Amino acid sequence: MTKTRWFLAGLLFLITVLNYLDRQVFSILAPDLQDSFGWSELDYSRMVNAFQLAYAITMVLSGRFLDRIGARLGLAASVALWSLAEAAHAFARTPLGFGVARFALGAGEAANFPAALKVVTEWFPSEERALATGLVNSGVALGTIIAAIGVPLTAAAYGWRAAFVGTGLLGLLWVPFWWMGYPPQARLSPAFRPTSTATDSPVPWQMLLGFRQTWAYALTKSLSDPIWWFYLFWLPKYLAAEFSVRGTDVIPYLTAVYICADAGCLGAGWLSSAVVKRGWSLNAARKGTMGLLAAFMTPAVIVAGTLHDPRLAIALIAIACGAHQAWSTMVFTMATDLFPSRAVGSVSGFGGFVAGIVSIGVAEAVGRVLDRDATSYMPIFIAAGVLYPLALGVFHLLSPKMEPARLT
């Protein structure tokens, strides 16, 4: 069981790397594509929103889908879909064409985290879940690091279309490893089966939406996710607009940011799991870690918006991104703490849907602000800093003791 569950966590880490590598290709190439195709800032924000709309809608559907058929088949199908959609970007010529490709990519990628949380809930005991979730979530930053280095170099050597086709093929290569590596339940003896199976009945939506725990997860996630989307989709454009850094010149800046993000994922997972093993309650471990992270993020991101030296600004953004990904690890782990496996796919999908809808509104607002003034990033950074303590307050209000939902 131990070898199996960590092997599965490793595969989930790898596909999370590819998930974020695929979605980052577009944002890294955006400044040059915008020059070539003549997009406005509002055009760009709406292409971003095409991805986020599909991601949000499919989050609900994929969570339910995974709770019905299991993570083995569900994730394999989703990865195949998003890999083909990634390659399809190479054939786009207009904002509408890119928007359609982004929509298909978002529809496929939405299953990644609900599937990962379902696997972690099924295969890992509570004292190991934060560390396992941190490992999976660290793939987010590594994927963006690889994108920051590989995409500009690939585009410079072979053209921008090759970057989309090449990254799409990587996902298709991962699928057979997942299919062969995930043991079907029938092959496991009862003593070595995970805590639930794909045949367990999903919990009715009416029941799930009546739990405060569902809303604690969904609202906490929706208040912090838009910040991460902003970093992903606008950081390359911020560097280009504020400091004239673009093309291969972005490599050291984005690499530094996402190395810190990777360290944050693993560090938060390790810290929270370590204090639980030392006797802390889950409530104290999770919220204490989140409070510490908010104390770093809020001042770091606000001060970064006031700076005119790209190295200093990126240094503070790197600290904020590292702390944000640590925060994200805690939010994901919250779903596994509050719900059993047969509900965690649906709950994480619903939370992703709510966060996606909020993120769509934020992206539209960012596009409108920057359409008026392409360098007006300061109010965006201030808003980002304020959202973290607000999210922690909402979480504590709705789940003061982090009691698991009672489904029976």
Side-chain angles (χ1 to χ4, degrees):
M1 270 295 270
T2 298
K3 290 181 180 179
T4 299
R5 65 175 177 254
W6 285 109
F7 177 72
L8 294 177
L11 287 174
L12 291 170
F13 163 77
L14 289 176
I15 199 54
T16 304
V17 170
L18 294 179
N19 185 288
Y20 270 78
L21 170 60
D22 288 355
R23 74 177 67 180
Q24 277 298 96
V25 173
F26 183 67
S27 63
I28 289 173
L29 295 176
D32 293 329
L33 291 176
Q34 188 168 11
D35 289 344
S36 298
F37 293 106
W39 305 332
S40 69
E41 289 291 336
L42 197 55
D43 287 334
Y44 179 71
S45 73
R46 288 175 177 169
M47 285 183 277
V48 167
N49 273 345
F51 175 92
Q52 291 181 306
L53 178 62
Y55 195 86
I57 294 171
T58 314
M59 265 283 185
V60 177
L61 302 176
S62 65
R64 205 63 168 175
F65 178 64
L66 289 161
D67 281 341
R68 286 187 178 277
I69 71 167
R72 183 174 185 249
L73 175 58
L75 186 57
S78 297
V79 173
L81 171 61
W82 95 53
S83 298
L84 293 172
E86 173 72 2
H89 284 71
F91 303 99
R93 298 292 184 276
T94 64
L96 177 61
F98 280 105
V100 170
R102 299 304 291 169
F103 188 91
L105 180 67
E109 289 202 343
N112 188 82
F113 282 105
L117 294 181
K118 187 172 181 66
V119 172
V120 168
T121 308
E122 289 180 350
W123 290 86
F124 286 86
S126 59
E127 64 270 17
E128 292 182 351
R129 286 177 188 165
L131 182 58
T133 304
L135 173 64
V136 174
N137 202 29
S138 67
V140 169
L142 183 58
T144 50
I145 290 169
I146 294 173
I149 297 172
V151 171
L153 294 176
T154 300
Y158 304 106
W160 63 268
R161 293 178 179 85
F164 287 110
V165 173
T167 51
L169 290 175
L170 291 175
L172 295 176
L173 292 174
W174 177 90
V175 172
F177 289 95
W178 174 253
W179 189 255
M180 294 184 292
Y182 196 112
Q185 307 294 342
R187 295 182 186 175
L188 300 174
S189 68
F192 290 95
R193 287 178 185 168
T195 57
S196 71
T197 71
T199 59
D200 288 337
S201 299
V203 181
W205 276 117
Q206 184 177 5
M207 179 183 291
L208 286 178
L209 296 180
F211 287 118
R212 292 166 63 94
Q213 291 91 334
T214 301
W215 293 101
Y217 174 74
L219 295 180
T220 304
K221 185 171 176 60
S222 68
L223 287 170
S224 55
D225 267 22
I227 306 169
W228 182 244
W229 291 116
F230 170 72
Y231 290 143
L232 287 181
F233 292 133
W234 267 278
L235 192 54
K237 291 175 66 59
Y238 165 72
L239 288 169
E242 291 284 344
F243 309 113
S244 299
V245 176
R246 62 173 65 215
T248 55
D249 292 338
V250 306
I251 290 175
Y253 294 98
L254 296 184
T255 300
V257 168
Y258 295 119
I259 285 175
C260 287
D262 228 0
C265 291
L266 294 173
W270 172 84
L271 175 61
S272 184
S273 291
V275 296
V276 169
K277 289 180 179 179
R278 288 179 176 271
W280 286 39
S281 68
L282 288 179
N283 190 47
R286 306 309 191 220
K287 292 178 183 174
T289 303
M290 292 171 74
L292 179 64
L293 294 170
F296 279 97
M297 288 185 287
T298 295
V301 71
I302 291 175
V303 173
T306 68
L307 299 177
H308 302 289
D309 184 327
R311 293 166 296 182
L312 293 177
I314 287 298
L316 286 179
I317 291 172
I319 292 171
C321 277
H324 179 97
Q325 281 304 92
W327 173 284
S328 180
T329 295
M330 291 297 96
V331 175
F332 280 132
T333 306
M334 181 202 310
T336 70
D337 293 331
L338 297 177
F339 290 91
S341 174
R342 69 190 181 101
V344 77
S346 297
V347 170
S348 61
F350 176 72
F353 167 75
V354 175
I357 295 300
V358 173
S359 297
I360 288 169
V362 170
E364 180 77 9
V366 169
R368 290 182 179 277
V369 168
L370 296 179
D371 236 7
R372 296 190 186 96
D373 180 357
T375 64
S376 184
Y377 282 89
M378 185 62 212
I380 301 170
F381 283 119
I382 292 174
V386 170
L387 285 175
Y388 294 109
L390 177 61
L392 182 56
V394 169
F395 176 27
H396 182 69
L397 180 65
L398 291 174
S399 185
K401 297 181 180 179
M402 279 194 68
E403 296 175 345
R406 296 183 179 182
L407 303 184
T408 56

